[in-house]
Amino acid sequence: MSLTMHRGHMSTSTLNKALPERGNPRLFAFVSLVNSAGRGAFLTCSALYFTHIVGLSLWELGVGLTIAGVAGLFAGVPFGYLADRRGPRETASALLALSAVTSVSFMFVSSFVAFVAASCLFALLERGGSAARQATLAAVLEKSQAVTTRAYLRAVANIGMAVGTGLAGIALALDSRPYYIAVLAFNSVALAVCSLLMLRLPKTGVIPPKRVDEPRLVVLRDRPYATVALINFVMMLQFQILDIALPLWVARHTTAPRSIIAALILFNTVAVVLLQVRVSKKIGDIASAVRWWRISGFILFGACFLFSLSANGSPLFACVMLALAAILHVYAELLQSAASWVFSFDLAPEGRHGQYQGFFNTGLSFSDMVAPVVLIPLAVEGGSLGWLALGAIFIGAGLAAAPAVRWAVNSREAAAGIQNVAV
């Protein structure tokens, strides 16, 4: 779209519609853009940096990242609790600043032990910082802004990841230590900028001291909320289909050209950027979230069914099935993401968003760890029946949300003395 002087007013209006509301939502979007650009550059180069430049073996790289992943898995709740007690804005800013310093430390890693130590610390700070930012989001935004703003953040994050990946491609092409170091420096600067930007948000309050009879990490005792989060963990396996299952499936079981893998991943990224906000606007409360969550489970089953059909027939037929499956998959992904944001925010008690968001968002780390041992046996080695079994899991998770959410709503309303509202 060209921006010309004589149509400046129209262009500005159009641009504003493509961005979150001015003020806190737009500032959050900028934080997301900068943070994801640095992260995208780092993730793209990290494997080659640690193996080609630092000299780690593939085994050492894999073991180190697994250990760091486990460390990150347990970071959200305690750091979220810290955010609730010390202020989410201040905690998020501090953790981003510490992440920037830790990113610098990767430049000086020269052994496996140092790599594991730096990776674990970085994972702890990153997952803890994410929990604190989500708590800040809940604290400074109106409830009606939360889901739409998170939709914008997800769209902007995809743009940032693409920008970071593109910048990292330069370092990969030149393949020498100074260029990899430049990528690490870029990520550190991006984190430092985000730390400063967080302080431009309004100062957030802290929760009062806990009652004597209240557990320190109350979210771990909240079984209804934990059940909803567990269902979300299962549904989040769908995020790994394009990254793990699809490439292996296309290469081993279909006659489609392997280049279609990149095309489908690119399509998914573009669709999220263009459609996440629009789709999210139809999901604004618990009742609509439950309904569309259920629908997303059935749509994912349809995507799995079409993926399974791609193993039969000509290359053209395989490509058509894969394309149709990708369309269903991304639509279900958009619905599930928006519905999960409603669950995570609306079912959490006020003043406890740090630890509650930290716990709910642990699902991303959980899916990263579990996805390979679920998707490869089912969707790759299990053939067409394996895809159908995977789709059945998504249907089950889609149907399980309604009773789990009802339990969580009833529990929250009973604690507050509010009459139950059907979901």
Side-chain angles (χ1 to χ4, degrees):
M1 179 177 63
S2 63
L3 301 178
T4 58
M5 291 298 293
H6 66 281
R7 298 182 65 183
H9 177 75
M10 181 180 296
S11 298
T12 302
S13 176
T14 302
L15 180 61
N16 285 334
K17 291 180 180 179
L19 295 172
E21 299 176 37
R22 291 184 181 275
N24 296 335
R26 191 165 294 186
L27 181 56
F28 260 110
F30 191 59
V31 170
S32 180
L33 177 67
V34 175
N35 184 45
S36 57
R39 177 177 171 79
F42 175 75
L43 291 178
T44 302
C45 285
S46 59
L48 287 178
Y49 170 72
F50 289 119
T51 54
H52 289 187
I53 306 301
V54 177
L56 299 179
S57 68
L58 291 177
W59 180 87
E60 288 175 326
L61 177 68
V63 170
L65 292 178
T66 299
I67 295 173
V70 173
L73 188 65
F74 297 101
V77 173
F79 276 109
Y81 173 80
L82 179 66
D84 290 335
R85 296 304 304 270
R86 301 300 180 185
R89 186 198 70 163
E90 292 74 14
T91 303
S93 178
L95 291 175
L96 283 165
L98 291 173
S99 296
V101 175
T102 306
S103 181
V104 171
S105 74
F106 284 128
M107 303 178 190
F108 304 99
V109 166
S110 59
S111 67
F112 173 66
V113 173
F115 167 67
V116 172
S119 296
C120 286
L121 179 59
F122 190 74
L124 286 168
L125 295 171
E126 184 181 49
R127 299 312 305 164
S130 177
R133 290 195 300 276
Q134 295 303 319
T136 308
L137 189 74
V140 304
L141 297 182
E142 298 293 333
K143 186 176 180 181
S144 60
Q145 297 175 311
V147 173
T148 301
T149 299
R150 290 189 70 172
Y152 277 112
L153 298 188
R154 184 160 187 252
V156 167
N158 275 267
I159 296 174
M161 288 289 288
V163 171
T165 300
L167 293 175
I170 301 173
L172 293 177
L174 298 171
D175 195 27
S176 64
R177 181 180 180 86
Y179 295 100
Y180 286 110
I181 293 298
V183 169
L184 295 177
F186 174 71
N187 185 43
S188 297
V189 171
L191 289 166
V193 169
C194 290
S195 174
L196 295 175
L197 288 174
M198 290 298 296
L199 294 178
R200 295 187 60 185
L201 292 165
K203 184 176 177 60
T204 50
V206 299
I207 62 173
K210 68 185 184 69
R211 301 189 309 270
V212 176
D213 61 339
E214 180 182 84
R216 184 178 297 272
L217 300 179
V218 65
V219 66
L220 300 181
R221 307 289 185 90
D222 192 335
R223 290 182 296 170
Y225 190 89
T227 301
V228 176
L230 179 60
I231 294 169
N232 182 60
F233 292 177
V234 174
M235 194 71 96
M236 288 185 77
L237 290 173
Q238 56 91 5
F239 284 109
Q240 304 297 327
I241 287 178
L242 294 185
D243 295 333
I244 296 175
L246 180 65
L248 296 172
W249 174 257
V250 170
R252 297 187 179 192
H253 296 282
T254 77
T255 58
R258 296 187 181 184
S259 58
I260 197 174
I261 298 170
L264 294 179
I265 293 175
L266 178 61
F267 165 76
N268 180 276
T269 301
V270 173
V272 170
V273 171
L274 297 178
L275 300 176
Q276 183 66 78
V277 175
R278 180 177 299 181
V279 170
S280 299
K281 288 180 178 179
K282 70 173 70 175
I283 305 175
D285 56 21
I286 289 289
S288 60
V290 168
R291 181 172 63 255
W292 286 107
W293 179 279
R294 183 188 306 117
I295 292 171
S296 72
F298 284 98
I299 295 175
L300 282 171
F301 178 85
C304 290
F305 176 66
L306 291 176
F307 277 128
S308 73
L309 292 182
S310 66
N312 306 303
S314 67
L316 177 60
F317 179 81
C319 288
V320 170
M321 292 300 102
L322 290 170
L324 292 175
I327 292 172
L328 290 183
H329 174 265
V330 73
Y331 185 53
E333 178 184 327
L334 298 172
L335 292 172
Q336 184 263 330
S337 296
S340 70
W341 299 332
V342 174
F343 295 159
S344 69
F345 275 104
D346 287 13
L347 297 178
E350 290 299 324
R352 302 294 189 274
H353 274 289
Q355 55 177 298
Y356 271 75
Q357 302 312 315
F359 181 76
F360 201 90
N361 290 319
T362 299
L364 183 59
S365 299
F366 177 83
S367 68
D368 287 343
M369 293 177 57
V370 173
V373 299
V374 174
L375 296 181
I376 291 177
L378 286 180
V380 180
E381 297 176 352
S384 296
L385 289 178
W387 276 108
L388 295 179
L390 179 62
I393 291 174
F394 291 133
I395 288 180
L399 294 174
V405 170
R406 188 178 301 114
W407 182 24
V409 170
N410 290 343
S411 174
R412 192 73 64 238
E413 291 174 345
I418 303 173
Q419 185 176 0
N420 177 44
V421 178
V423 299

